């Protein structure tokens, strides 16, 4: 495979940075973005708050105990998605091959660029200048090296590592820094004496296969040596569907609240469609309950539309008809059938772009 240059770009302390842009007077003070209520968790903590041990996903009550002087703010998801669109819009204007993988991170393939590092530095500067957001960048021959580097060196990172340098640099790091090694796998590996990336590099593949199966072992051994061929997936051809979904920090049982969220997401979706001059015939909602039951409901309209009032009304109607019987952890709304039906539509791949997730079209 030809040598590639892949960058992973990750906005530092994203939600907290957006809040600081809104409230510059809070700069320098510990800042915690968290919902309210007994089960609220920390969505983001500024680096000042992290110094007190506050971290994402920690119960808000514990964060208050650790850092009572912190300013606590409720999340403002509208502002976060607006800033996200601004940042990745700038990046896309300058770099052709971008795969957004979250509200605050994206991979860029800059293999074809003549001076990739200069371009990346100038894009980071432009993002900072126009949005105030600081982007950490990891650059390497693969997504794995790029992602591991941006994560290890942030904040305000610009780290460039070859595969060999990554092998050496991360040999002493815990195995879980490898994307794909979750806490359970890490625990199982540690139980067998494989604690660090270096332990895995020196491991016998057969010993790993005993723990993870042959395919898992092969993958892990390659990952520990930072071999990764996965592509930066840029969208090819028109998307077959678009959707917007939100996982709540706290499950929501109140149907009126769910409708409010649904309407907001449907409006954003329609704005996005109208901006691209696209319209769909099928409106779909997706609801995941607190027990992970996942339900989708769809309705096909007589003609294509991107009219927010129409789409909101249908989405709310679908939600009311389903009437979630348990608290909801995830809610989504989508539009499909942008084109006249094809004889046998191929299943669309899930890919991320513009902060919206394209889901497989359901018949
Ligand atoms: Mg980030």
């Amino acid at each position: 495979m030809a040598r590639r240059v892949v960058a992973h770009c990750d906005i530092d302390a994203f939600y907290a940075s957006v809040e600081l842009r809104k409230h510059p007077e809070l700069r320098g003070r510990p800042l915690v973005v968290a919902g309210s209520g007994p089960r609220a968790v920390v969505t983001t903590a500024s680096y000042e708050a992290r110094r007190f041990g506050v971290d994402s996903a920690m119960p808000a009550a514990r964060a208050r105990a650790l850092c009572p002087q912190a300013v606590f703010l409720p999340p403002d998801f509208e502002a976060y998605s607006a800033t996200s669109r601004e940042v990745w819009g700038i990046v896309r204007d300058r770099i052709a091959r971008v795969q957004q993988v979250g509200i605050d991170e994206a991979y860029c393939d800059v293999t074809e660029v003549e001076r990739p590092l200069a371009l990346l530095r100038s894009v980071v500067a432009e993002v900072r200048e126009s949005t105030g957001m600081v982007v950490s960048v990891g650059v390497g021959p693969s997504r794995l090296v790029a992602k591991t580097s941006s994560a290890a060196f942030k904040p305000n990172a610009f780290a460039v590592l070859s595969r060999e340098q990554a092998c050496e640099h991360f040999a002493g790091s815990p195995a879980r820094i490898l994307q794909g090694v979750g806490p359970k796998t890490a625990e199982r590996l540690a139980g067998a004496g494989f604690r660090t990336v270096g332990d895995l590099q020196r491991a016998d593949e057969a010993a790993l296969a005993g723990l993870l199966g042959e395919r898992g072992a092969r993958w892990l051994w390659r990952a520990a040596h930072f071999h990764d061929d996965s592509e930066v997936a840029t969208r090819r051809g028109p998307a077959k569907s678009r959707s917007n979904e939100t996982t709540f920090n706290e499950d929501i049982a109140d149907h009126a609240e769910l409708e409010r969220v649904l309407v907001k997401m449907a409006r954003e979706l329609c704005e996005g469609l109208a901006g691209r001059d696209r319209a769909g015939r099928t409106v779909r909602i997706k609801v995941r309950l607190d027990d992970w039951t996942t339900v989708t409901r769809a309705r096909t309209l007589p003609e294509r539309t991107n009219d927010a009032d129409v789409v909101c009304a249908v989405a709310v109607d679908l939600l009311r008809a389903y009437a979630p019987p348990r608290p909801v952890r995830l809610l989504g709304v989508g539009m499909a059938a942008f084109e006249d039906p094809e004889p046998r539509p191929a299943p669309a791949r899930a890919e991320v772009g513009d902060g919206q997730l394209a889901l497989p079209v359901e018949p």
Side-chain angles (χ1 to χ4, degrees):
M1 168 173 278
R3 194 170 171 77
R4 294 187 299 157
V5 186
V6 175
H8 180 259
C9 303
D10 189 344
I11 308 173
D12 292 341
F14 178 53
Y15 294 167
S17 304
V18 175
E19 294 299 343
L20 286 175
R21 188 188 182 190
K22 284 163 58 193
H23 311 282
E25 71 280 5
L26 298 179
R27 206 162 283 280
R29 295 186 57 183
L31 183 67
V32 177
V33 178
S36 52
R39 290 179 55 204
V41 293
V42 173
T43 316
T44 316
S46 68
Y47 287 98
E48 287 82 3
R50 289 180 199 196
R51 250 172 248 138
F52 293 85
V54 178
D55 211 348
S56 306
M58 169 184 287
R62 175 151 168 72
R64 275 178 214 280
L66 283 170
C67 188
Q69 68 273 48
V71 179
F72 282 75
L73 293 171
D76 176 355
F77 292 108
E78 217 158 297
Y80 308 150
S81 55
T83 304
S84 169
R85 278 195 295 271
E86 250 182 280
V87 169
W88 303 118
I90 293 168
V91 174
R92 281 202 176 81
D93 280 348
R94 307 274 313 270
I95 297 175
R97 301 196 56 193
V98 179
Q99 179 187 10
Q100 199 181 332
V101 290
I103 195 167
D104 70 337
E105 51 180 308
Y107 291 98
C108 304
D109 188 324
V110 285
T111 306
E112 306 293 327
V113 175
E114 203 174 320
R115 295 179 61 219
L117 301 184
L119 174 65
L120 288 164
R121 283 189 195 279
S122 120
V123 171
V124 167
E126 188 180 335
V127 166
R128 189 171 197 158
E129 174 71 28
S130 22
T131 70
M133 296 298 116
V134 177
V135 176
S136 280
V137 183
V139 184
S142 64
R143 290 166 44 126
L144 182 60
V145 172
K147 164 96 183 173
T148 312
S149 306
S150 70
F153 294 103
K154 71 188 178 186
N156 197 13
F158 196 94
V160 186
L161 272 76
S162 67
R163 187 189 69 81
E164 294 79 2
Q165 287 171 322
C167 284
E168 201 182 315
H169 185 87
F170 297 114
S173 303
R176 65 169 185 280
I177 66 149
L178 299 171
Q179 208 192 9
V181 176
K184 280 199 182 133
T185 306
E187 207 174 294
R188 196 155 5 130
L189 290 169
F194 304 115
R195 285 185 180 78
T196 64
V197 172
D199 292 338
L200 294 171
Q201 289 170 351
R202 291 181 294 271
D204 180 64
E205 238 185 283
L208 294 178
L211 292 168
L212 304 171
E214 239 167 75
R215 292 183 62 172
R218 180 83 201 127
W219 171 82
L220 186 60
W221 191 88
R222 280 175 54 81
H225 290 86
F226 289 89
H227 287 292
D228 167 32
D229 301 332
S230 66
E231 270 195 64
V232 175
T234 47
R235 201 179 294 118
R236 286 182 196 87
K240 291 221 167 35
S241 70
R242 290 210 150 253
S243 67
N244 232 347
E245 59 179 56
T246 303
T247 301
F248 303 121
N249 291 324
E250 300 168 73
D251 303 337
I252 297 181
D254 178 9
H255 287 190
E257 175 66 18
L258 289 170
E259 286 181 21
R260 265 196 299 279
V261 176
L262 189 67
V263 164
K264 189 173 140 312
M265 289 194 297
R267 287 202 175 278
E268 282 171 13
L269 181 72
C270 288
E271 274 169 33
L273 289 176
R276 289 178 176 76
D277 209 18
R278 312 219 58 189
R281 273 185 71 197
T282 302
V283 178
R284 199 172 55 131
I285 64 162
K286 174 174 166 188
V287 182
R288 179 168 296 145
L289 306 178
D290 64 344
D291 63 356
W292 286 82
T293 306
T294 305
V295 168
T296 58
R297 292 285 186 270
R299 183 176 303 161
T300 298
L301 307 171
E303 51 191 52
R304 285 196 282 276
T305 184
N306 57 26
D307 183 325
D309 290 338
V310 174
V311 174
C312 290
V314 174
V316 166
D317 208 37
L318 290 168
L319 182 66
R320 284 187 187 165
Y322 171 52
R326 304 178 56 97
V328 172
R329 55 174 292 130
L330 174 150
L331 188 63
V333 59
M335 286 289 278
F338 297 142
E339 320 294 340
D340 288 323
E342 291 165 39
R344 294 194 84 223
R349 265 187 314 132
E351 25 178 58
V352 177
D354 304 334
Q356 291 170 336
L357 189 61
L359 295 164
V361 183
E362 293 196 338

